[in-house]
Amino acid sequence: QGNVPTLNENGITLATAASLNSTSICFKQPANQTLLTFAKPSRFRVAIQFGAVSLANMEAQITVGSYGIGESYYGFEVSGTTLSGNCSNPNTSATNAVTLKTLSASTTYELEAIFISGRGVDFYVDRDKVGTLTTQLPSTIYSVFPNLFIKTTNTTAKNMTIAYFEYLQERPNI
Protein backbone atom coordinates (compact mmCIF):
# COMPACT_ATOMS: atom_id res chain seq x y z
CA GLN A 1 0.00 0.00 0.00
CA GLY A 2 2.76 2.49 0.84
CA ASN A 3 4.99 3.25 -2.14
CA VAL A 4 8.58 4.31 -1.40
CA PRO A 5 9.36 7.95 -2.30
CA THR A 6 12.09 8.56 -4.87
CA LEU A 7 14.83 11.19 -4.81
CA ASN A 8 16.33 12.85 -7.89
CA GLU A 9 17.47 16.28 -9.13
CA ASN A 10 13.86 17.57 -8.96
CA GLY A 11 13.42 16.67 -5.28
CA ILE A 12 11.48 13.97 -3.47
CA THR A 13 8.59 12.43 -5.39
CA LEU A 14 5.80 10.62 -3.61
CA ALA A 15 3.77 8.50 -6.03
CA THR A 16 0.82 6.20 -5.46
CA ALA A 17 0.11 3.04 -7.40
CA ALA A 18 -2.92 2.86 -9.70
CA SER A 19 -4.93 1.00 -7.06
CA LEU A 20 -7.68 2.05 -4.67
CA ASN A 21 -6.37 3.84 -1.54
CA SER A 22 -2.71 3.50 -2.54
CA THR A 23 -0.42 5.83 -0.55
CA SER A 24 3.11 7.15 -0.42
CA ILE A 25 4.52 8.60 2.81
CA CYS A 26 7.74 10.33 3.81
CA PHE A 27 8.41 11.42 7.38
CA LYS A 28 11.43 11.98 9.58
CA GLN A 29 11.45 11.39 13.30
CA PRO A 30 14.45 13.17 14.83
CA ALA A 31 16.74 11.13 17.08
CA ASN A 32 16.86 13.94 19.66
CA GLN A 33 13.51 15.65 20.10
CA THR A 34 14.33 17.79 23.14
CA LEU A 35 14.74 20.94 21.01
CA LEU A 36 11.60 20.52 18.87
CA THR A 37 8.70 22.20 20.62
CA PHE A 38 5.49 24.05 19.92
CA ALA A 39 6.34 26.40 22.81
CA LYS A 40 8.56 28.45 20.46
CA PRO A 41 7.83 30.16 17.12
CA SER A 42 8.53 28.04 14.03
CA ARG A 43 7.91 28.04 10.31
CA PHE A 44 8.30 25.83 7.31
CA ARG A 45 8.35 26.45 3.59
CA VAL A 46 8.00 23.89 0.83
CA ALA A 47 7.77 23.91 -2.96
CA ILE A 48 5.35 21.29 -4.28
CA GLN A 49 4.02 20.22 -7.63
CA PHE A 50 1.35 17.62 -8.32
CA GLY A 51 1.63 15.51 -11.47
CA ALA A 52 -0.24 16.10 -14.72
CA VAL A 53 -3.04 13.69 -13.78
CA SER A 54 -6.24 15.23 -12.41
CA LEU A 55 -6.16 16.15 -8.72
CA ALA A 56 -9.66 14.71 -8.24
CA ASN A 57 -9.80 11.71 -5.89
CA MET A 58 -6.52 12.68 -4.19
CA GLU A 59 -5.59 13.52 -0.60
CA ALA A 60 -2.25 14.95 0.56
CA GLN A 61 -0.70 16.38 3.72
CA ILE A 62 2.38 18.53 4.20
CA THR A 63 2.71 19.09 7.96
CA VAL A 64 5.05 19.22 10.94
CA GLY A 65 4.14 17.37 14.09
CA SER A 66 2.11 14.21 14.43
CA TYR A 67 -0.70 14.38 11.87
CA GLY A 68 -4.22 13.42 12.96
CA ILE A 69 -7.21 14.56 14.97
CA GLY A 70 -6.19 15.02 18.60
CA GLU A 71 -2.49 15.19 17.68
CA SER A 72 -0.22 18.25 17.70
CA TYR A 73 0.61 19.51 14.22
CA TYR A 74 0.20 22.36 11.74
CA GLY A 75 0.50 22.57 7.98
CA PHE A 76 -1.35 22.00 4.75
CA GLU A 77 -3.89 19.48 3.50
CA VAL A 78 -5.07 18.90 -0.06
CA SER A 79 -8.38 17.26 -0.91
CA GLY A 80 -8.90 17.12 -4.65
CA THR A 81 -8.08 20.62 -5.89
CA THR A 82 -8.71 22.33 -2.51
CA LEU A 83 -5.71 23.46 -0.45
CA SER A 84 -6.42 24.05 3.26
CA GLY A 85 -4.30 25.20 6.19
CA ASN A 86 -4.88 23.12 9.30
CA CYS A 87 -3.81 22.48 12.86
CA SER A 88 -4.74 20.34 15.85
CA ASN A 89 -3.79 19.68 19.45
CA PRO A 90 -4.42 16.87 21.97
CA ASN A 91 -7.47 18.67 23.41
CA THR A 92 -9.43 18.72 20.13
CA SER A 93 -11.89 16.29 18.62
CA ALA A 94 -11.67 17.79 15.11
CA THR A 95 -9.03 19.39 12.94
CA ASN A 96 -9.20 23.18 12.63
CA ALA A 97 -8.99 24.15 8.95
CA VAL A 98 -9.24 27.16 6.64
CA THR A 99 -9.63 26.91 2.85
CA LEU A 100 -6.72 28.68 1.12
CA LYS A 101 -6.68 28.10 -2.64
CA THR A 102 -7.79 25.97 -5.57
CA LEU A 103 -4.82 24.04 -6.99
CA SER A 104 -4.03 22.89 -10.54
CA ALA A 105 -2.01 19.92 -11.73
CA SER A 106 1.49 20.55 -13.14
CA THR A 107 1.83 23.89 -11.30
CA THR A 108 4.53 24.53 -8.70
CA TYR A 109 3.38 26.21 -5.49
CA GLU A 110 5.48 27.64 -2.67
CA LEU A 111 3.67 26.98 0.62
CA GLU A 112 4.70 28.53 3.93
CA ALA A 113 3.22 28.14 7.40
CA ILE A 114 4.34 30.42 10.25
CA PHE A 115 3.45 29.29 13.78
CA ILE A 116 3.54 31.61 16.82
CA SER A 117 2.82 29.71 20.03
CA GLY A 118 -0.39 30.87 21.69
CA ARG A 119 -1.20 33.26 18.82
CA GLY A 120 -1.83 31.38 15.61
CA VAL A 121 -0.65 29.97 12.30
CA ASP A 122 -0.38 32.16 9.20
CA PHE A 123 -0.53 30.43 5.82
CA TYR A 124 1.08 31.71 2.61
CA VAL A 125 0.83 30.52 -0.98
CA ASP A 126 3.41 31.90 -3.40
CA ARG A 127 4.35 34.51 -0.76
CA ASP A 128 0.79 35.86 -0.42
CA LYS A 129 -0.87 35.52 2.98
CA VAL A 130 -4.07 33.57 2.33
CA GLY A 131 -5.29 32.45 5.77
CA THR A 132 -4.85 32.35 9.54
CA LEU A 133 -5.92 29.96 12.30
CA THR A 134 -5.97 31.08 15.94
CA THR A 135 -7.62 28.13 17.75
CA GLN A 136 -6.78 24.46 18.32
CA LEU A 137 -3.08 25.32 18.04
CA PRO A 138 -0.50 22.54 18.53
CA SER A 139 0.81 22.34 22.06
CA THR A 140 3.16 19.42 22.69
CA ILE A 141 6.64 18.36 21.60
CA TYR A 142 6.76 16.98 18.06
CA SER A 143 6.56 13.25 17.62
CA VAL A 144 7.05 13.27 13.83
CA PHE A 145 8.76 15.91 11.70
CA PRO A 146 8.02 16.51 8.79
CA ASN A 147 5.08 14.51 7.43
CA LEU A 148 4.57 14.26 3.65
CA PHE A 149 1.70 12.06 2.45
CA ILE A 150 -0.31 11.43 -0.73
CA LYS A 151 -3.21 9.03 -1.35
CA THR A 152 -5.40 8.18 -4.31
CA THR A 153 -9.04 7.42 -3.51
CA ASN A 154 -9.69 5.75 -6.87
CA THR A 155 -7.57 3.61 -9.20
CA THR A 156 -5.60 6.42 -10.85
CA ALA A 157 -1.96 6.88 -9.82
CA LYS A 158 -1.15 10.31 -8.27
CA ASN A 159 2.18 11.97 -7.51
CA MET A 160 3.58 14.97 -5.67
CA THR A 161 7.13 16.32 -5.99
CA ILE A 162 8.68 18.33 -3.15
CA ALA A 163 11.51 20.46 -4.56
CA TYR A 164 12.63 21.63 -1.09
CA PHE A 165 11.55 21.67 2.52
CA GLU A 166 12.90 24.36 4.88
CA TYR A 167 12.21 24.48 8.61
CA LEU A 168 13.19 27.12 11.20
CA GLN A 169 12.42 27.27 14.90
CA GLU A 170 13.43 29.73 17.59
CA ARG A 171 15.95 27.98 19.81
CA PRO A 172 14.57 27.01 23.21
CA ASN A 173 16.39 28.05 26.38
CA ILE A 174 18.57 25.14 27.38
Side-chain angles (χ1 to χ4, degrees), residues 1 6 9 22 32 35-36 38 61 67 78 93 95 107 155:
Q1 183 181 12
T6 58
E9 66 277 359
S22 176
N32 181 350
L35 297 179
L36 299 176
F38 287 117
Q61 291 103 33
Y67 181 82
V78 179
S93 59
T95 298
T107 302
T155 57

Side-chain angles (χ1 to χ4, degrees), residues 1 9 33 47 49 55 67 76 99 106 146 149-150 161 174:
Q1 183 181 12
E9 66 277 359
Q33 296 192 59
Q49 182 180 59
L55 301 185
Y67 181 82
F76 298 91
T99 300
S106 300
F149 170 87
I150 189 169
T161 299
I174 50 175

